[in-house]
Amino acid sequence: MKNSPIKLFNTAARAKQAFKPLKPGHVGMYNCGPTVYDYAHLGHFRAYTFVDTLKRVLAASGYKLKTVMNITDVGHLTSDADTGEDKMEKAAAEKRMTAWDLAAFYTTDFFDAMDKLNIARPDIVCKATEHIPQMIELIKKLEKKGYTYRTSDGIYYDTYKFKDYAKFAQLNLKQLQEGARVEPNPEKRNPPDFALWKFSPKDSKRQMEWESPWGTGFPGWHIECSAMDMQYLGDRFDIHTGGIDHIPIHHTNEIAQSDAAVGHKVVQYWMHNEFVMVEGSKMSKSRKNFYTMADIEARGVDPLALRYLFLTAHYRSKMNFTWGSLSDAERALSTLRERTMEFKADKKKPQRGDVKKAAAYEKEFMLAVNNDLNTPIALAIMWAAVRDADLAGSAKYELLMKFDDVLGLRLKDVKPARKETLSDEVGKLVKMREQFRKDGKYAEADEVRKRLDSEFGIVIEDTVKGTKWKKK
Ligand code: AMP
Ligand code: ZN
C-alpha cells in the first residue's frame, strides 16, 4: 500500500512541511543526546520516544535511515551563559567519582532505560570527549573566517557577525540580549556570544582537559554537535532533533557555528519535542524533580506503559506527568495485550470484506502518523479497529502487528498470561476452606480465608462458578 506523504513540523519555518529528503529514499538524522552526569529521567524518555517514533514513521514509508546521537560527557556548563561549572566535573566531585567513570555509569543507565522503552539504539553514538580534534578544526575554520575572539577565559563566537543569528529562535537581538541571563562576563562583546573553547582555570586542575592552539582547556557545549553531526552526516543532512529548550540557545548556536563554517544551511528540518512537566515545572536533572527508570520499576510499572503514555499526547504538546495517568496507560496497554492475544488465537481466515476494512484502517492510521506524528489520533484509530465488531480477529491481529511497527509496544511478543499456581500448603488451605463451606461451617471457613489473606496474600472470591483466588 502506498503511504500518504509525510509532513513534519519544521521549527525553522514554524510550519508543517512536506518531508523531502536530500537523497531520495534516504534520511540522515542527528539527535541531541543526554548530558551524562545523572540518571536519565522521564523527560529524556519522552524526548527519545519521540525520536524513536519519528524513525519508525520514516521506516514505515520505506526510508533507509542513518541516525547519529551524541553523548555530552564534557563541556555542558551549569549556566547557559557559559559561566558556572562544567556539569560533569561538578557531579564527579560531588559523587567522588572520576568524570570518566561518571560518564560511563550514566551512559549505561541511559541506554538500559532506552532498551526497556523499546527505543532503538542510534546507528552511531558519539561521545564529545572522543571528538576534540574535530571540534578544534571547526573552531579554527570559524577563526579563519573572523567569527571568533579571545577573552581571558576562552575563545568566543561573535554572534553579531552571523547575520541571521536571531532568526531561528524568532527573537530579535534585543530580546535575545534580555533573554540571556545577566552574567558577569564583561569581556564578551555581545550578550548572546558563547564559548567555543574554555581555558582550564589557572588555580585548579580539571579532570578533562586538552591541548589546543589557544591553550589547555575544554570545548564549549554547542561545538560538539556541529562537529559531530557534520563528521557523520556531512555538511547537509535532513533532520535534527532536540527538546524545545534547545531552540533559543543550543540549536541557535549550532546553526551559527555550522552554517558560518560551511557557508550554507546544514540542517533541513529541525524538530523539537515539548517537555514533561511535574507540578508546573520542567522535569530536569538540575531541578532534581525527576523520576527515573528505577522509580518506575519500583512501583511495578511496565516501562512500556510509559511509552504508551507518551504516545497518548502529541510530541509538541506539554505533558504533565502524574502516577494516575501512568496507571491509566498501563491498564490500556494491558487490555490491548489481552485483545491482541485473543485476535492471535482466531484462526478464521480474513474474508474479502475484512481485508478491505483493514486496509481502510491502515490508511487512516498512516495518515495520522504521517501528519507530523499524530500518535493520539493513531491510537484512537487503533482502538476503533480493535473494537470493530464487523472485523475478523485474524484481520485485527495482522493490523495490530503493522500498527506496532510504528507504536513500538512489543505486541508481537505478547504471550498468554502464565497460569499462576499455588504452593501445596496454600492449596490445601483453599481446599480446606471449600470443605468447611460445604459443611456449613462458615465461621471456620472465614478464619481460613483471613489466614490466606494475611499470611499468604491470597484473596478468595466466591463466584457462581465456584471459588476463585488471586494474588494480592
Ligand atoms: P539533557 O540531558 O538535559 O542534555 O537533555 C537531553 C535531551 O532531553 C534534550 O533534547 C532535552 O531537551 C530533552 N529533555 C530534557 N528534559 C526534558 C523534559 N522534561 N521533557 C522533555 N524533554 C526533555
Ligand atoms: Zn546538541
Side-chain angles (χ1 to χ4, degrees), residues 101-344:
D101 288 347
L102 183 88
F105 179 85
Y106 289 117
T107 304
T108 302
D109 166 72
F110 174 80
F111 282 115
D112 282 351
M114 294 297 110
D115 291 348
K116 286 177 180 159
L117 289 160
N118 198 22
I119 292 172
R121 302 227 177 173
D123 298 315
I124 295 168
V125 175
C126 40
K127 294 182 194 170
T129 48
E130 290 174 0
H131 295 78
I132 304 294
Q134 290 87 334
M135 296 186 223
I136 292 177
E137 276 315 302
L138 194 56
I139 301 170
K140 280 208 274 198
K141 246 190 205 169
L142 290 169
E143 186 176 44
K144 225 184 234 157
K145 290 192 168 191
Y147 285 98
T148 67
Y149 63 94
R150 187 184 184 106
T151 71
S152 59
D153 73 355
I155 302 297
Y156 281 75
Y157 186 105
D158 187 342
T159 52
Y160 285 19
K161 291 243 166 84
F162 186 66
K163 187 167 66 53
D164 287 335
Y165 183 75
K167 193 169 153 198
F168 185 66
Q170 291 198 342
L171 297 170
N172 57 40
L173 281 176
K174 195 162 170 291
Q175 284 170 311
L176 273 182
Q177 274 183 34
E178 283 158 6
R181 275 165 241 154
V182 188
E183 23 71 42
N185 191 345
E187 290 181 77
K188 278 201 327 193
R189 288 184 189 164
N190 320 293
D193 291 358
F194 57 92
L196 295 163
W197 188 263
K198 289 273 277 188
F199 302 136
S200 292
K202 289 185 183 64
D203 46 354
S204 59
K205 179 145 176 62
R206 281 177 54 90
Q207 295 186 34
M208 292 175 155
E209 58 181 18
W210 294 266
E211 296 306 315
S212 84
W214 311 282
T216 307
F218 61 102
W221 172 36
H222 318 297
I223 197 73
E224 71 173 88
C225 287
S226 286
M228 295 194 284
D229 63 24
M230 289 198 280
Q231 149 129 17
Y232 294 108
L233 295 167
D235 65 11
R236 289 180 209 267
F237 64 92
D238 300 297
I239 303 177
H240 195 311
T241 71
I244 49 151
D245 49 332
H246 288 349
I247 300 170
I249 298 165
H250 184 51
H251 290 164
T252 286
N253 292 348
E254 195 182 320
I255 292 168
Q257 295 165 156
S258 304
D259 292 13
V262 300
H264 58 75
K265 181 170 85 172
V266 174
V267 175
Q268 315 306 308
Y269 298 84
W270 286 92
M271 295 181 72
H272 295 94
N273 64 276
E274 253 290 359
F275 287 150
V276 175
M277 315 287 288
V278 238
E279 287 155 19
S281 303
K282 178 195 171 197
M283 183 177 288
S284 69
K285 287 181 276 213
S286 48
R287 284 191 181 86
K288 297 204 188 300
N289 61 351
F290 60 89
Y291 297 120
T292 64
M293 191 51 87
D295 296 324
I296 301 295
E297 291 184 322
R299 293 191 181 226
V301 179
D302 180 339
L304 288 176
L306 202 51
R307 184 176 179 112
Y308 185 98
L309 176 65
F310 295 140
L311 294 173
T312 62
H314 190 258
Y315 75 92
R316 283 192 290 115
S317 57
K318 276 195 180 45
M319 172 180 266
N320 192 41
F321 176 76
T322 62
W323 290 103
S325 60
L326 185 56
S327 297
D328 291 346
E330 194 173 32
R331 255 194 305 280
L333 179 59
S334 151
T335 306
L336 182 61
R337 285 174 172 157
E338 280 164 23
R339 305 307 308 273
T340 306
M341 280 312 307
E342 288 163 28
F343 302 149
K344 192 177 182 181

Side-chain angles (χ1 to χ4, degrees), residues 9-25:
F9 187 90
N10 187 354
T11 304
R14 298 297 191 283
K16 265 191 234 174
Q17 296 179 325
F19 176 64
K20 218 171 152 268
L22 292 163
K23 186 172 160 204

